[in-house]
């Protein structure tokens, strides 16, 4: 642009003219070059700046503008706010948990079991449900790192892969000499194929397997008795008599996938919806050193030290051998002498249990703990064989599985010591540097290895820190893989989302190792690899077959082949001779148990699992040394103290004990008294005490200025692995145990006599209230017949069973109805469905999976250890557990405790959540109408209306309401008390955790009351769906079973039933007609929508103490 | 039975104890009471006021922290939704009962001794209710939404839940507060007029004048005043009984064992009067000593109040025992367990502290000597103050800490923030009360004058009585003293004169200066 030709040419005359007309700097009004004077421009500048500053100040008063940007082109299958469900599976020790992932807008938010799966039947547990939080773990590894320990620094991925390719060439040249892989246990056929390929290419390389919690003894025993590749497969649903020796198969001992649902099938006493085939109720005998959920379900339980369990099994074998007259078994055990001193009662116990097993030949099973040694399992198999329990359609089957061919960590350690290893690639979720047997001194040993590459999801774990290279691993929800569950059914693991942090899966890593750079680029090599395995396994390479498997989540009829081999008694004899079980622990033993919250430590940064109370001890956020009361008294006596039960835990503070092992290793641990624990035995769960494990695991708990003194450093729990070595993998001999009476240095800088622990439920007695009701099979059968008869003879009348008239219920005056003489049915006749729930206590073992599922579905925050100590956990569904000491009638017809120290009490778990009372006490007291009843009978919460007076919670007899004392959803755990000055207030919780939130459930702010509303979002979704189906037919009633609430779908034992109670034919209505049905606080006239079904025990009346079994609530009235 | 005074004419009529001792005259009363407001405060006033202001600051800080951070800064937890906050609320609201009881019910029942203590007791009521109001207003999770409690029609179209006792509570307390405030203020008007008339500075004149609402003391004004006061007294009387009844409904209408009790309304009202009188005595006994009001608030007053404490304390004791009896007799397992827990459980010490303070300690008032010994009265009142706080703590916390399901049981411990908030309310209460003493007549001057024997239209002064110009009874003072007084008076008079002269002089000077400018 030019205004004249002169300007275009910039002729001097024009420039001079221009200068005159528009003097340079005129805009600045530069008065004679006076620098200080304010020019127009600078004035504008200052004004502008100050206005802008003012603007900043003001704009911060406004809410930040958040925009919802719609998709430019719609994404297939995706409707915002509508979930899409995909089938996948979670790899587990010795199998897999088939899952259905609920995905919103590409974010998986909730996991539930795949009920179509033949092996697990929708069985999940708390680990499987909570694994979604591991996926969103804010401290998950998100970058490649190089350098050991403190030298570790973040590097670009290319840097690593460059080095890796160089190494690859090196290995190709020397056939992999010096290369070793240390991987975790897995049952992925693809991974196995790839490993085989690697091994073929690099025959000099070595493969080693390590799991801190393993089942080697079990697998090795099967292999040695039934030939290579043989694996045991339990079918507990086919067992009518089960004897477990130290096996917590309902809890942390994974003998098979779906053990819980199998067991629960055999446990049912009545067919609730009428179309279930109910066999005779099973009977469970349990011998265990500490109370477990399995022991809780047992009809007969005996506490016994782990070190005594092998001799005990020998005694049983002898008894069974003489009953069955099985010579093979006889010869196997006849020469075995046990120095077990059994009292008369125990002898009777053994005799009658053996008799019962013998009487139910072919329909029983004897199970040993997965972590017990080989000898124990050999003996178990021999007993089962003698009892004809092994075979097709029997409770125990021998199948051709996928046994591991890798070496053990001890072999790896030996190889390293011999300088055979130069490069070690560690993968898997175990953390060997943290958890390897203490005598290996693994961390030091690794100094001898030139290069260590760690592939894992946690770069904070000790192994990652000890490695030269860390490669971020991927979670099973974001990568392609496959897996076989323990019955062999093949499942595909498909990614729900693109890798969040660019992690590399094990399969991808091996593919990088195998594939040449020259080979052509495949779009998704891992998927291709899995696809080819699938083609192999299914025998069909068609896209259709692949899609079907993907959709179902498993391949039909892909179970392992049954083996018809005979038991090799010679090998058994050999095995028993070779393996000398350490059964001579006369003094104290220490048992390293698998933790019900963090497993072997891998879930340490998972807030849901950390905060879930242990089913038995109710301990959250920690582990502790569990000791029975008689043993504690003994320990106290040794210190010259006289200890009362009340002294054991003082207001959330645990006393300390010092444990010293035979070889001098020792440590201080908090002492937690437990009930039903074997004498002279200490159990400690592993997996805690990891340093720098993450912001959730290592949150310095609270601020001692404002709350309780519980600053325990930046680690939760106690590190027990240093006490554990190869020989004491399950238990070890303890040289001395001492009660700490003076201050000791528990952790650097922390001198104390006690340690704060968070227990969610301190009171363990029912206080004579019939809150939990139980009965025996005999009693139930009688009542069942009676009620059937009564219903037939006087239909429409209320018939109260003996279960319904216990406790205060026996004093309820007759109901004087206002609408006398009117047809009640007509009065409530309308189209609206009425929701209700039934909890079958006979099937509930107290595993807590429901609580986690509820947490995941309903955006329930965690609150941290400090808040749990104060008593502010937010779980909408909590697991109350009670212990009942054995009581006997005295001369005056009063019941008196005969088990003062609760050495073998009965265990009673009871899930409690809002029971949607029809006459809800919470609703009448809310001043602002924030909690109201819906037409469908839900006690709804209007979170926006709630001002938080907490009156409703006070008036709730179940105490099922939860109050947001802090902004748990906004502030990190260590900032709760910081108020507006909190550093990270603006950022709130980690963004990755926000991705997990269910978009259909409000994320509650502080100051608001919250509680269970029967997953109202699921009900609404089902109703909308039904309306869509109904169209003009007006049939808008949601069919029975279409709605599964979160806790229900997580319950492996099928204990929770939900549905329409106005429909007399719905499952829940049927359940409520059972004579076992009762309202927990019927006396209050609340008309609760959630009712319970009493637990039924199946005692063998010949057993000692059989009279006590299943009669806890019978004494209460 | 025949009246002994009439049946035997020879027996002299038993004279009532005078309500104002030492035969103080009307002007003495005016001077004495207005003097407190007009003169400098004793050093002790400052020693009390400064810490009170500091505590008020602490209260403000604690509340700001509470609102900005969350209820979690307190010690409440899941079974115990209400802890110290509601304990303190009921404690303060209970204290706020004595004032209106004294001024309304005793007014209607013509209990003339009330005149000396009514004003201060009413002020105490208002300040106590202010302290009380802080807790329910701020204990909620979302303070900024507290207006949901007000029946304001809003866009949500949701009304309050009129079934909720908590809502009745809001209405009851706010009604009580506003009526009490009005009652107090109306009662103050004649005295504000007096202060205005006596005021020597312009600001005082304006301020008292403003609040005196143009009080002239005319006959019609007195008539209107008397009627208004009577009506307000009648209006307040049911409120005295209703407020604490409604507060007790918060508990009584719930289903929590230990709360769900029909005896609560009368028991709470009796307890409130009990605690209120103890607090009146706690404040008045030192105040009377500091300001030399022994002639107005006499041993007779203290004696009367001690008797009321004895009566209400015994009623409270009856209620405690009746609760235990009903728990046993009712046969309800949960109810029984609640009382077993109260008496033998985790908080047993609170129960016995309560029982000792509220039931046992007032029993000393059966003895006249104890009622007349200031120290004994003070100590018992202190016990009662503490005991009434413990009573609320025991009721609220022990009941919900352990109710129906043992699985949900947990214990409650207050946090430091909570403790300081409570301490802070004492600062607020004391500070306001001290300001009241400083700026308003703490005894109703005109009412006390009304109970003087001379106020009786039929009063015949005994001949021996002569008053000097200032109203002092001459026969009570020695002549010498009177003489010295006269001299003193002269001196002050001259001083005043010179002062005013000087003032006018300087004023003139400044005026001329201004003109010059």
């Amino acid at each position: 642009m030019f205004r004249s030709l002169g300007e275009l040419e910039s002729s001097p005359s024009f420039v001079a003219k221009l200068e005159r007309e528009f003097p340079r700097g005129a805009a600045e009004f530069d008065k004679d070059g006076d620098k200080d004077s304010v020019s127009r421009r600078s004035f504008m500048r200052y004004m502008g700046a100050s206005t802008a500053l003012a603007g900043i100040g003001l704009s911060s008063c406004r809410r930040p503008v958040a925009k919802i940007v719609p998709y430019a082109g719609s994404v297939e299958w995706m409707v915002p706010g509508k979930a899409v469900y995909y089938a996948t599976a979670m790899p587990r020790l010795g199998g897999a948990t088939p899952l259905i992932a609920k995905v919103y807008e590409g974010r998986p938010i909730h996991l539930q079991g795949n009920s179509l799966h033949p092996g697990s039947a929708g069985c999940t547990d708390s680990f499987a449900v909570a694994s979604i939080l591991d996926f969103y773990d804010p401290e998950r590894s998100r970058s490649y790192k190089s350098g050991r320990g403190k030298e570790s620094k973040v590097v670009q991925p290319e840097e690593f892969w460059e080095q890796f390719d160089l190494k690859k060439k090196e290995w190709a040249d020397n056939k992999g000499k010096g290369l070793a892989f240390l991987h975790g246990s897995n049952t992925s056929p693809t991974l196995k194929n790839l490993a085989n390929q690697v091994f073929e290419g690099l025959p000099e390389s070595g493969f080693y397997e390590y799991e801190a919690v393993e089942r080697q003894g079990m697998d090795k025993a099967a292999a040695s008795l039934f030939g290579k590749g043989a694996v045991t497969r339990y079918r507990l649903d086919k067992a009518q008599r089960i004897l477990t020796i130290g096996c917590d198969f309902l809890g942390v001992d994974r003998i098979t996938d779906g053990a819980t649902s199998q067991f629960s099938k055999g446990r049912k006493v009545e067919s609730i919806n009428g179309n279930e085939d109910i066999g005779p109720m099973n009977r469970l005998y349990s011998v265990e050193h500490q109370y477990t959920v399995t022991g809780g379900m047992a009809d007969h339980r005996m506490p016994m030290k782990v070190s005594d369990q092998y001799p005990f099994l020998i005694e049983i074998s002898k008894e069974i051998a003489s009953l069955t007259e099985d010579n093979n078994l006889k010869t196997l055990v006849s020469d075995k002498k046990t120095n077990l001193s059994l009292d008369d009662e125990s002898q009777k116990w053994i005799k009658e249990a053996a008799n019962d097993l013998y009487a139910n030949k072919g329909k029983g099973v004897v199970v040993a703990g997965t972590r017990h040694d080989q000898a124990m399992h050999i003996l178990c198999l021999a007993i089962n064989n003698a009892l004809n329990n092994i075979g097709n359609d029997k409770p125990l089957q021998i199948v051709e599985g996928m046994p591991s061919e890798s070496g053990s960590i001890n072999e790896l350690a030996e190889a390293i010591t011999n300088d055979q290893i130069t490069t070690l690639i560690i993968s898997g979720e175990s953390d060997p540097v943290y958890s390897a047997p203490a005598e290996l001194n693994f961390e030091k040993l690794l100094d001898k290895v030139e290069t260590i590459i760690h592939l894992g999801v946690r770069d904070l774990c000790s192994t990652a820190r000890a490695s030269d290279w860390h490669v971020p691993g991927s979670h099973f929800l974001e990568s392609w893989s496959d897996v076989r569950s323990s019955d062999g059914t093949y499942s595909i693991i498909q990614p729900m989302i693109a890798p969040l942090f660019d992690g590399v899966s094990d399969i991808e890593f091996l593919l990088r190792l195998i594939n040449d750079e020259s080979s052509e680029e495949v779009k998704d090599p891992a998927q291709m690899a899995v696809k080819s395995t699938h083609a192999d396994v299914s025998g069909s390479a068609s896209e259709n077959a692949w899609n079907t498997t993907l959709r179902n989540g498993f391949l039909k009829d892909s179970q392992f082949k049954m083996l018809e081999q005979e038991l090799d008694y010679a090998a058994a004899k050999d095995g028993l001779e070779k393996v000398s079980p350490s059964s001579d622990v006369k003094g104290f033993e220490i048992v390293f148990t698998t933790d019900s919250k963090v497993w072997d430590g891998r879930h340490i940064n998972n807030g849901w699992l950390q905060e879930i109370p242990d089913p038995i001890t109710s301990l959250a956020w920690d582990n502790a040394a569990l000791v029975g009361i008689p043993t504690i008294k003994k320990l106290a006596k040794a210190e010259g103290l006289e200890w009362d039960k009340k002294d054991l835990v003082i207001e959330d503070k645990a006393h300390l004990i010092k444990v010293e092992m035979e070889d001098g290793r020792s440590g201080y641990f908090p002492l937690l008294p437990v009930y039903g624990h074997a004498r002279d035995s200490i159990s400690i769960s592993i997996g805690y005490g990891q340093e720098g494990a993450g912001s959730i695991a290592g949150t310095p708990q609270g601020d001692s200025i404002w709350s309780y003194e519980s600053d325990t450093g930046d680690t939760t729990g106690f590190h027990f692995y240093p006490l554990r070595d190869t020989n004491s993998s399950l238990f070890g001999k303890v040289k001395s145990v001492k009660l700490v009476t003076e201050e000791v240095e528990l952790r650097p800088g922390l001198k104390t006599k006690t340690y704060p622990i968070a227990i969610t439920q301190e009171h363990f007695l029912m206080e004579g209230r019939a809150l939990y009701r139980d009965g025996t099979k005999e009693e139930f059968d009688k009542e069942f017949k009676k009620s059937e008869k009564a219903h037939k003879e006087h239909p429409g009348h209320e018939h109260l069973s003996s279960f319904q008239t216990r406790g205060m219920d026996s004093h309820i005056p007759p109901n004087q109805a206002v609408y006398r003489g009117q047809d009640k049915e007509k009065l409530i006749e309308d189209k609206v469905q009425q929701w209700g729930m039934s909890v079958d206590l006979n099937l509930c073992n107290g595993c807590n999976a429901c609580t986690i599922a509820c947490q995941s579905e309903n955006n329930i925050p965690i609150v941290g250890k400090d808040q749990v100590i104060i008593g502010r956990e937010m779980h909408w569904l909590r697991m109350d557990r009670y212990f009942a000491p054995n009581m006997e009638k005295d001369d005056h017809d009063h019941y008196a405790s005969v088990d003062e120290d609760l050495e073998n009490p009965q265990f009673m778990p009871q899930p409690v959540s809002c029971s949607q009372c029809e006459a809800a006490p919470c609703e009448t007291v809310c001043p602002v109408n924030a909690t109201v009843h819906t037409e469908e009978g839900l006690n709804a919460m209007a979170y926006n209306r709630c001002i938080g007076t907490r009156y409703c919670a006070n008036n709730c007899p179940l105490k099922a309401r939860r109050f947001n004392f802090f902004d748990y959803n906004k502030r990190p755990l260590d900032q709760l008390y910081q108020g507006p000055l909190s550093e990270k207030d603006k950022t709130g919780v980690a963004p990755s955790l926000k991705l997990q939130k269910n978009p259909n459930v409000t994320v509650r702010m502080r100051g608001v009351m919250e509680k269970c509303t029967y997953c109202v979002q699921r009900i609404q979704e089902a109703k909308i769906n039904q309306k869509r189906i109904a169209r003009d037919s007006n049939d808008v009633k949601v069919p029975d079973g279409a709605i599964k609430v979160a806790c229900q779908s997580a319950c492996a034992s099928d204990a929770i039933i939900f549905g329409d109670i106005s429909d007399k034919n719905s499952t829940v209505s049927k359940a409520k007609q059972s004579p076992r049905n009762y309202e927990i606080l019927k006396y209050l006239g609340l008309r609760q929508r959630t009712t319970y079904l009493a637990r039924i025990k199946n005692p063998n009346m010949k057993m000692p103490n059989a009279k006590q079994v299943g009669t806890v609530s019978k004494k209460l009235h | 039975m025949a009246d002994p005074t009439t049946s035997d004419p020879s027996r002299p009529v038993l004279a009532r104890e005078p309500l104002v001792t030492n035969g103080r005259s009307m002007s003495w009363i005016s001077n004495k009471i207005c003097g407190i407001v007009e003169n400098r405060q004793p050093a002790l006033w400052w020693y009390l006021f400064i810490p009170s202001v500091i505590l008020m600051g602490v209260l403000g800080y604690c509340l700001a922290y509470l609102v900005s951070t969350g209820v979690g800064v307190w010690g409440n937890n899941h079974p115990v939704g209400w802890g110290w906050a509601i304990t303190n609320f009921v404690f303060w609201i209970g204290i706020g009962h004595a004032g209106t009881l004294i001024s309304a019910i005793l007014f209607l029942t013509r209990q003339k001794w009330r005149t000396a203590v009514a004003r201060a007791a009413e002020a105490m009521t208002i300040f106590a209710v202010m302290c009380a109001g802080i807790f329910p207003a701020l204990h909620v999770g979302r303070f900024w939404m507290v207006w949901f409690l007000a029946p304001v029609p809003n866009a949500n179209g949701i009304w309050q839940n009129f079934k909720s006792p908590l809502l009745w509570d809001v209405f009851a307390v706010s009604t009580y507060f506003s009526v009490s405030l009005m009652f107090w203020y109306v009662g103050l008007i004649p005295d504000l007029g007096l202060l205005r008339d006596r005021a020597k500075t312009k600001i005082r004149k304006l301020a008292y004048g403003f609040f005196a609402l143009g009080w002239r003391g005319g006959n019609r004004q007195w008539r209107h005043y008397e009627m208004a006061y009577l009506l307000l007294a009648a209006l307040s009387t049911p409120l005295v009984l209703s407020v604490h009844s409604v507060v007790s409904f918060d508990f009584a209408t719930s289903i929590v064992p230990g709360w769900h009790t029909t005896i609560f309304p009368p028991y709470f009202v009796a307890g409130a009067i009990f605690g209120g009188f103890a607090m009146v005595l706690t404040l008045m006994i030192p105040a009377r000593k500091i300001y030399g009001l022994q002639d107005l608030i006499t041993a007779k007053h203290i004696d009367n109040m001690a008797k009321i404490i004895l009566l209400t304390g015994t009623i409270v004791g009856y209620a405690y025992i009746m609760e235990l009896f009903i728990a046993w007799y009712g046969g309800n397992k949960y109810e029984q367990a609640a009382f077993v827990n109260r008496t033998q459980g985790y908080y047993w010490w609170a129960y016995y502290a309560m029982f000792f303070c509220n039931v046992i300690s007032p029993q000393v008032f059966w003895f006249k000597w104890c009622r007349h010994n200031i120290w004994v009265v003070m100590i018992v009142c202190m016990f009662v103050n503490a005991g009434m706080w413990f009573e609320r703590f025991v009721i609220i916390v022990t009941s919900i800490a352990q109710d129906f399901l043992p699985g949900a049981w947990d214990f409650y411990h207050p946090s430091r923030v909570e403790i300081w908030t409570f301490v802070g309310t004492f600062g607020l209460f004391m500070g306001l009360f001290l300001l009241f003493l400083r700026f308003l007549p703490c005894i109703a001057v005109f009412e006390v004058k009304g109970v003087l024997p001379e106020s009786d239209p039929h009063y015949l002064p005994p001949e021996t009585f002569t008053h000097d110009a200032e109203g002092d009874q001459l026969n009570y003072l020695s002549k010498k003293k009177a003489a010295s007084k006269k001299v003193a008076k002269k001196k002050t008079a001259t001083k005043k004169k010179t002062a005013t002269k000087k003032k006018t002089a300087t004023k003139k000077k400044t005026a001329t200066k201004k003109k010059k400018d």
Side-chain angles (χ1 to χ4, degrees), chain A residues 651 708 768-769 870-873 923 925-927 944 946-951 955 959 963 965 977 979 1006 1117, chain B residues 65 67-69 72 74 76-78 81-82 139 141-142 161 164 250 254-256 333 337 346 403-404 407 413:
Chain A
E651 286 184 38
Y708 296 95
R769 306 168 181 196
I870 305 176
R872 291 178 181 165
E873 57 278 7
E923 285 170 15
V925 299
C926 174
N944 287 344
C946 178
I947 59 169
T949 64
R950 303 187 290 286
Y951 195 1
N955 210 24
K959 294 284 170 279
F963 184 69
F965 283 99
Y977 283 90
R1006 79 169 152 96
H1117 53 84
Chain B
Y65 180 51
V67 173
S68 64
T69 309
W74 286 352
N76 301 60
N77 56 13
H78 274 137
W82 290 348
H139 92 291
R142 302 200 298 165
N161 179 7
S164 170
D250 280 345
S254 80
I255 63 164
V256 180
K333 208 170 248 183
Y346 187 78
D403 62 352
F404 295 101
H413 304 263

Side-chain angles (χ1 to χ4, degrees), chain A residues 542-561:
Chain A
S542 75
E543 196 70 13
N544 215 357
W546 163 257
N547 282 340
T548 310
T549 312
L550 267 188
R551 200 166 52 230
N552 289 344
F554 61 93
L555 183 65
K556 259 185 196 158
D557 303 324
S558 55
Q559 282 98 329
F560 289 134
K561 261 197 302 199

Side-chain angles (χ1 to χ4, degrees), chain A residues 566-725:
Chain A
E566 285 292 307
L567 194 143
D568 183 353
Y569 275 102
K573 184 119 192 133
D574 229 38
L576 289 192
E577 307 269 277
K578 207 160 57 189
V579 188
S580 61
S582 39
S583 58
D584 54 340
V585 182
K586 272 280 161 260
F588 273 97
E589 67 169 21
I590 185 167
V591 189
F592 302 98
T593 55
T594 315
D595 194 78
S596 67
K597 303 192 286 287
V598 300
W599 191 250
D600 62 352
R602 67 184 57 173
H603 299 299
I604 191 84
N605 210 31
N606 187 323
W608 294 349
L609 283 171
Q610 284 272 26
E611 198 154 300
I612 212 80
D614 182 275
I616 307 296
T617 60
S618 284
L619 177 66
W621 288 97
D622 262 306
N623 60 346
L626 313 182
V627 187
I629 289 165
T631 317
I632 295 180
K633 283 185 174 167
K634 197 166 134 187
L635 289 177
K637 215 166 197 180
E639 297 300 315
L641 299 166
E642 201 63 56
W643 266 16
D644 194 12
K645 233 175 289 174
K646 280 182 216 146
D647 301 328
L648 296 175
V649 175
I650 307 163
E651 286 184 38
D652 309 306
K653 284 196 177 82
H655 295 275
L656 297 174
I657 52 168
K658 188 188 183 187
V659 178
E660 198 175 348
M661 302 293 281
E662 282 288 276
D663 52 4
R665 288 182 303 235
S666 70
Y668 293 105
F669 305 110
L671 166 78
L672 187 61
V674 286
Y675 314 115
H677 202 286
R679 289 185 180 203
D680 294 346
S681 177
I682 302 170
S683 9
I684 299 175
S685 65
I686 50 182
Y688 273 97
Q690 300 183 37
E691 269 167 47
S695 67
I696 289 156
T699 299
Q701 300 288 337
D703 180 340
S704 54
I705 299 172
W706 298 116
S707 59
Y708 296 95
E709 164 236 334
S710 66
D711 191 8
T712 52
D714 59 352
T715 45
T716 57
F718 287 79
H719 193 11
F720 284 114
Y721 283 115
L723 300 188
R724 181 184 187 231
D725 56 30

Side-chain angles (χ1 to χ4, degrees), chain B residues 201-261:
Chain B
T201 65
K202 200 147 200 184
I203 297 169
R204 276 177 167 259
K205 216 166 202 115
L206 278 173
Y208 289 120
F210 179 79
F211 287 107
L213 302 181
W215 179 262
R216 284 288 172 275
N219 206 12
R220 273 161 69 119
Q221 280 189 336
W222 274 113
R223 272 188 57 203
H224 288 310
Y225 166 82
E226 294 281 353
M227 187 48 71
Y229 199 74
L230 184 70
L231 287 175
L232 280 170
L235 197 62
S236 307
T237 301
L239 285 178
V240 175
L241 303 176
S242 74
V243 180
H244 227 55
S245 297
V246 171
V247 169
S248 81
F249 289 165
D250 280 345
F251 309 105
T253 63
S254 80
I255 63 164
V256 180
W259 286 10
H260 181 68
T261 318

Side-chain angles (χ1 to χ4, degrees), chain A residues 640-835:
Chain A
L641 299 166
E642 201 63 56
W643 266 16
D644 194 12
K645 233 175 289 174
K646 280 182 216 146
D647 301 328
L648 296 175
V649 175
I650 307 163
E651 286 184 38
D652 309 306
K653 284 196 177 82
H655 295 275
L656 297 174
I657 52 168
K658 188 188 183 187
V659 178
E660 198 175 348
M661 302 293 281
E662 282 288 276
D663 52 4
R665 288 182 303 235
S666 70
Y668 293 105
F669 305 110
L671 166 78
L672 187 61
V674 286
Y675 314 115
H677 202 286
R679 289 185 180 203
D680 294 346
S681 177
I682 302 170
S683 9
I684 299 175
S685 65
I686 50 182
Y688 273 97
Q690 300 183 37
E691 269 167 47
S695 67
I696 289 156
T699 299
Q701 300 288 337
D703 180 340
S704 54
I705 299 172
W706 298 116
S707 59
Y708 296 95
E709 164 236 334
S710 66
D711 191 8
T712 52
D714 59 352
T715 45
T716 57
F718 287 79
H719 193 11
F720 284 114
Y721 283 115
L723 300 188
R724 181 184 187 231
D725 56 30
T726 313
N727 292 326
S728 63
S729 160
L730 176 61
F731 70 96
K733 200 174 167 183
V734 173
K735 195 166 132 201
S736 74
V737 184
K738 270 185 90 175
L739 204 71
V740 172
T741 49
E742 272 159 28
E743 277 198 351
V744 291
E745 192 161 16
L746 194 59
R747 276 171 191 165
L750 178 68
K751 275 199 119 182
T752 179
K753 242 164 87 173
T754 55
Y755 175 80
I757 50 170
I759 289 185
T760 58
Q761 187 194 341
E762 283 175 28
H763 201 85
F764 59 89
L765 287 174
M766 217 154 49
E767 292 293 328
R769 306 168 181 196
L771 306 170
Y772 188 99
R773 297 187 191 169
D774 59 352
T776 59
K777 182 79 171 56
E778 196 187 357
E779 187 187 359
F780 170 73
D781 286 341
K782 219 166 71 192
E783 287 298 328
F784 191 74
K785 268 187 207 135
K786 224 165 81 185
S787 87
E788 265 195 337
K789 198 176 147 208
H791 277 289
K792 223 176 264 169
E793 284 169 7
H794 306 283
H797 279 78
E798 208 183 359
H799 314 288
L800 293 177
S801 72
S802 76
F803 299 103
Q804 283 157 346
T805 49
R806 286 185 187 169
M808 290 292 286
D809 288 7
S810 51
H811 307 297
I812 300 176
N815 186 24
Q816 301 295 336
V818 179
Y819 302 104
R820 242 175 295 175
Q822 293 180 45
D823 191 357
K824 223 164 53 183
E825 297 298 312
K826 255 187 199 158
L827 286 172
I828 54 163
E829 187 192 25
D830 60 37
K831 293 252 156 52
V832 181
Q833 288 178 291
Q834 299 297 327
W835 308 115

